[in-house]
């Protein structure tokens, strides 16, 4: 049976309940952040109402691709109905709202294996209460993994609100790295453009611009949603924690402005590349036109003198060939002079 559970964990990214990671945070305990499994989490949640206000809380991170994840949450977590409604409606739009005595958030994050593609973005569902924080996703995400790594390294947020603030700051850090990565790619493309090596750069810029547009569209509502929430926070949220959340929204807004500036830069580069391509096309068209014009006199004369009829001029003249060559050369020179004069 244990072998079956190990295989299930490898297949779904979690234990038999779909729990990827769980931590019990208790500042008064010898170990402020302790890893727990789904069985220990169920026991703690069942006894939490009898413990009083100890300040301890639990963070549970679930893989929604696991068939038992939502069933376990329904049975043990006692989350708001709004949380399950957001899970089932499937809308990726960012929002943070109050539901009963908890916070429900839908935010977007990039995949752990992020390759700068617009499709490498997925949704993270969050429920935050005074004793329980639940995060759920369908694909591995970078921000949650960064938070998980920080907790493993010894960080122990004092409250559930501080844990949410850490998650949002981790998300902002991930976006900063994305902006830096996109900036370095744009710098290389710009250097190659200045060097005259136009090798499919419009397509590469288009992918980066679509990525930034999608990220901004999905993430831009987040600071405003959090700001509206903090106008009337829940009673259990401390003022210091609310202030920290306000600071995270400011960092997030700065990153979004940087993304907007990158979009404008990409747009200018695309316009410059398009202008260079049009100039090359015009140059090629001009060369083709000149060749056609220069070949026109000889083609006309060859057609006329090649007709098998009587009365062809200069047919009996001993210098007829050279006369025709002179006529063709004269017309070609006049046509070339006309074409290049118009070019200038």
């Amino acid at each position: 049976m244990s072998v079956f559970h190990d295989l299930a964990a490898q297949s779904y990214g979690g234990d038999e309940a779909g729990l990827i990671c769980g931590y019990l945070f208790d500042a008064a305990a010898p170990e402020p952040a302790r890893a727990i499994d789904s069985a220990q989490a169920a026991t703690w949640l069942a006894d939490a109402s009898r413990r009083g206000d100890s300040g301890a809380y639990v963070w549970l991170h679930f893989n929604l691709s696991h068939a038992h994840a939502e069933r376990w949450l329904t049975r043990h977590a006692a989350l708001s109905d709004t949380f399950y409604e957001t899970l089932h409606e499937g809308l990726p739009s960012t929002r943070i709202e109050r539901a009963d005595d908890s916070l429900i958030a839908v935010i977007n994050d990039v995949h752990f294996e992020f390759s700068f593609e617009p499709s490498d973005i997925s949704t993270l569902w969050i429920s935050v209460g005074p004793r329980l924080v639940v995060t759920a996703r369908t694909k591995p995400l970078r921000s949650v993994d960064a938070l998980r790594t920080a907790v493993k390294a010894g960080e122990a947020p004092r409250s559930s609100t501080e844990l949410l603030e850490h998650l949002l700051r981790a998300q902002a850090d991930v976006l900063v790295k994305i902006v830096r990565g996109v900036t370095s790619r744009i710098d290389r493309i710009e250097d190659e453009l200045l060097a005259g090596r136009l090798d499919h750069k419009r397509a590469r810029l288009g992918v980066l611009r679509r990525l930034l547009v999608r990220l901004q569209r999905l993430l831009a509502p987040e600071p405003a949603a959090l700001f509206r929430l903090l106008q009337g926070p829940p009673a259990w949220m401390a003022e210091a924690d609310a202030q920290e959340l306000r600071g995270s929204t400011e960092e997030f807004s700065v990153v979004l402005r940087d993304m907007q500036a990158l979009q404008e830069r990409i747009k200018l580069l695309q316009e410059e590349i398009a202008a260079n391509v049009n100039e090359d096309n015009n140059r090629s068209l001009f060369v083709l036109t000149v060749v056609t014009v220069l070949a026109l006199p000889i083609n006309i004369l060859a057609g006329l003198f090649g007709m098998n009829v009587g009365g062809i001029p200069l047919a009996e003249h001993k210098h007829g060939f050279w006369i025709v060559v002179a006529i063709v050369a004269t017309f070609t020179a006049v046509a070339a002079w006309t074409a290049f004069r118009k070019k200038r």
Side-chain angles (χ1 to χ4, degrees):
M1 190 68 176
S2 61
V3 175
F4 175 78
H5 284 165
D6 291 341
L7 291 175
Q10 293 174 6
S11 302
Y12 292 103
D15 62 10
E16 64 273 8
L19 181 66
I20 300 170
C21 66
Y23 290 95
L24 171 61
F25 297 96
D26 188 353
E31 190 177 1
R34 179 167 61 89
I36 58 176
D37 58 22
S38 56
Q40 294 170 324
T43 302
W44 191 91
L45 291 173
D47 297 339
S49 59
R50 298 191 293 270
R51 286 194 177 93
D53 189 11
S54 63
Y57 70 98
V58 167
W59 172 39
L60 304 176
H61 181 50
F62 282 88
N63 179 12
L64 292 178
S65 298
H66 199 292
H68 299 291
E70 188 174 344
R71 188 182 310 167
W72 190 96
L73 288 171
T74 305
R75 182 179 302 171
H76 300 287
L79 300 177
S80 170
D81 293 338
T82 305
F83 179 77
Y84 299 105
E85 291 174 2
T86 58
L87 287 181
H88 296 152
E89 67 186 6
L91 295 177
S93 56
T94 299
R95 57 192 182 278
I96 303 174
E97 57 190 17
R98 289 185 59 177
D100 299 331
D101 198 32
S102 61
L103 304 180
I104 306 299
V106 179
I107 66 175
N108 293 273
D109 195 9
V110 298
H111 295 174
F112 184 77
E113 298 294 337
F114 182 64
S115 57
F116 290 89
E117 294 291 335
S119 58
D120 293 340
I121 304 172
S122 289
T123 304
L124 177 69
W125 292 269
I126 307 173
S127 175
V128 182
R131 297 178 180 274
L132 175 64
V133 178
V134 172
T135 57
R137 52 76 168 168
T138 57
K139 296 182 180 179
L141 302 175
R142 283 202 174 186
S143 298
V144 180
D145 186 77
L147 177 60
R148 180 183 178 184
T149 302
V151 173
K152 280 185 177 181
E155 285 195 26
R158 295 174 291 99
S159 64
S160 57
T161 307
E162 186 174 340
L163 181 72
L164 175 62
E165 184 262 333
H166 277 234
L167 178 60
L168 295 180
R169 289 190 185 275
Q171 186 187 28
D173 291 340
V174 170
L175 289 180
V176 168
K177 293 178 181 177
I178 292 174
V179 169
R180 289 174 181 169
V182 173
T183 302
S184 65
R185 282 167 168 77
I186 295 175
D187 289 340
R188 286 197 298 270
I189 293 174
E190 190 171 25
D191 292 340
E192 293 172 1
L193 173 62
L194 295 175
R197 299 190 298 269
L198 294 171
D199 183 19
H200 305 294
K201 307 227 174 14
R202 294 180 68 187
R204 289 158 56 188
L205 286 172
V207 171
L208 294 176
R209 188 177 180 186
R210 286 194 299 272
L211 169 65
L212 293 175
V213 168
R214 188 176 183 200
L215 279 173
Q216 189 171 33
R217 185 178 71 248
L218 292 175
L219 300 176
E222 188 170 319
L226 192 56
F227 180 79
R228 287 194 299 270
L229 173 68
L230 293 175
Q231 298 301 310
W236 48 265
M237 183 181 294
E239 178 59 32
D241 292 337
Q243 190 62 35
E244 290 293 330
L245 281 177
R246 291 188 183 93
S248 67
T249 61
E250 294 174 1
E251 291 184 11
F252 207 83
S253 299
V254 171
V255 177
L256 290 175
R257 286 195 293 270
D258 291 341
M259 292 172 61
Q260 180 65 36
L262 275 179
Q263 291 180 48
E264 294 298 327
R265 186 181 174 190
I266 291 176
K267 182 179 178 182
L268 291 176
L269 282 175
Q270 286 178 319
E271 292 176 353
E272 185 172 353
I273 291 175
N276 289 340
V277 171
N278 289 334
E279 184 177 351
D280 291 340
N281 291 338
N282 292 336
R283 190 180 297 111
S284 300
L285 184 60
F286 173 74
V287 172
L288 179 62
T289 302
V290 169
V291 171
T292 303
V293 170
L294 295 180
L296 185 61
I298 191 171
N299 288 332
I300 294 176
L301 290 177
L304 290 175
F305 283 89
M307 291 186 296
N308 193 17
V309 295
I312 294 179
L314 306 176
E316 303 298 332
H317 198 284
K318 64 178 182 178
H319 299 298
F321 172 76
W322 297 109
I323 294 174
V324 172
V325 169
I327 295 174
V328 170
T330 302
F331 275 104
T332 302
V334 171
W337 177 78
T338 305
F340 284 106
R341 187 189 63 174
K342 291 183 178 180
K343 179 64 178 178
R344 291 194 297 268

